[in-house]
Every structure is written in structure tokens, then in C-alpha cells.
Amino acid sequence: MEERYEAGAGDAEPSGRELSARDVAVLEIAARTWSGPGPRERAVRERLGISPAAYFQLLNALLDDPRALRHDPVTVNRLRAVRERHRASR
């Protein structure tokens, strides 16, 4: 069973080296493979307690955060490549 992110003191700016609990939870959701948008949106609402739009805003910001790259380089690099392909196709 997945652990639910609880808003609280861990939301403050991390100590410079580590991601917040919320940021780690965002990356964990992003790392999973989903059968479609429904299950992911449900997980975002249940685990993070935020809207899918807010999740994608947080995720996009994390893709530019060096701490996120250190934490999960495979996921961050994969999603950076997806983001660049989308930008190039515009």
C-alpha cells in the first residue's frame, strides 16, 4: 500500500541538499507507468491531495531542479526528453 503524503512541516524549503517529502512523492508518481490519465489523476489527488494541474506544475519545476536529478536521474532525464519532444513539436 502506498504511503500518503501529508502536508506539514516537510513542505518548507529543504536544507539545500534534499528534496521535500512532497517532491519525492511527485517523482515517485511520475516514475510509475500508468494505463491512462485516470489512475494517475486519482493517485495524485489521493496521495498528494492536489489537483492534477498542480501536480504537473510541481513536476515541471522539479525537472529543472538538480536535487531531483540526483534523487532519480532515470525518471528526470526521461521526462526532460519527453518535455523537449513536446516543445520541439510546437
Side-chain angles (χ1 to χ4, degrees):
M1 185 168 172
E2 287 188 5
E3 181 179 320
R4 178 177 160 79
Y5 161 78
E6 295 294 332
D11 290 343
E13 274 297 309
S15 62
R17 288 186 163 226
E18 296 183 26
L19 294 171
S20 69
R22 180 191 66 194
D23 292 344
V24 170
V26 167
L27 287 174
E28 287 172 354
I29 289 172
R32 291 197 47 198
T33 303
W34 301 94
S35 59
R40 179 181 51 221
E41 289 176 3
R42 189 170 31 261
V44 165
R45 289 186 189 282
E46 290 174 0
R47 185 163 179 204
L48 300 174
I50 60 175
S51 71
Y55 160 78
F56 284 111
Q57 289 174 338
L58 290 169
L59 179 58
N60 194 47
L62 279 171
L63 296 182
D64 297 323
D65 189 330
R67 295 172 301 167
L69 183 61
R70 284 192 302 272
H71 179 79
D72 190 347
V74 173
T75 298
V76 171
N77 283 326
R78 177 179 58 83
L79 293 174
R80 283 179 175 178
V82 169
R83 181 175 68 179
E84 289 306 312
R85 281 195 303 270
H86 286 161
R87 286 180 177 169
S89 68
R90 290 184 183 171

